[in-house]
Amino acid sequence: MIDLSTRGLPVYDRKGNHLGVFKSNLDAAINGLKTAAHIAGLLIQKHEIGASAAFARMSDKELEDVLIDQCKAIGLSDRSVQELQASMERLPGT
C-alpha cells in the first residue's frame, strides 16, 4: 500500500482512456509508514506522569533521590544501587 501510494494510481480521462500519468497520494504513504512503524514497535509513546515539568523544578539531590527510588522500584540489586550512588557522588558539582 505504501509503494502504491508513492508510485500513484493511473489517471484517466472522462472516457476512461489512460493519460499516461500517475497521481501519487503522499499522505496515504506517510500514514502507511506510520502504521508500519507502529506495528513493528518502532514508535515510543511517552506520557508524563505527575505534575507537568516536575523534574525541571527539582534540585540535583532531589533528582538523585528519585533516580535511586526508581532503580529500587524496578528491582535493581542493592549493590547496583550503591554503585550508582557512588558514581553520582564522583560527578563534578555534587
Side-chain angles (χ1 to χ4, degrees):
M1 192 55 121
I2 296 166
D3 188 42
L4 180 62
S5 298
T6 304
R7 283 187 288 130
L9 296 173
V11 178
Y12 299 96
D13 65 12
R14 291 180 188 214
K15 294 181 181 179
N17 299 319
H18 186 288
L19 297 177
V21 295
F22 292 83
K23 183 177 181 183
S24 61
N25 185 344
L26 297 181
D27 286 335
I30 290 169
N31 286 333
L33 287 169
K34 286 180 181 178
T35 301
H38 181 72
I39 290 170
L42 300 175
L43 300 179
I44 298 172
Q45 298 289 329
K46 295 182 180 181
H47 301 281
E48 189 167 356
I49 299 172
S52 178
F55 290 119
R57 294 187 294 270
M58 288 185 178
S59 68
D60 288 346
K61 177 64 175 142
E62 289 172 322
L63 286 170
E64 290 173 8
D65 292 343
V66 169
L67 176 62
I68 296 301
D69 290 343
Q70 292 298 315
C71 288
K72 290 177 182 177
I74 63 171
L76 227 58
S77 69
D78 290 337
R79 181 175 178 196
S80 295
V81 171
Q82 289 170 356
E83 289 175 4
L84 181 61
Q85 284 174 317
S87 68
M88 286 188 296
E89 288 172 2
R90 290 190 300 265
L91 290 175
T94 56

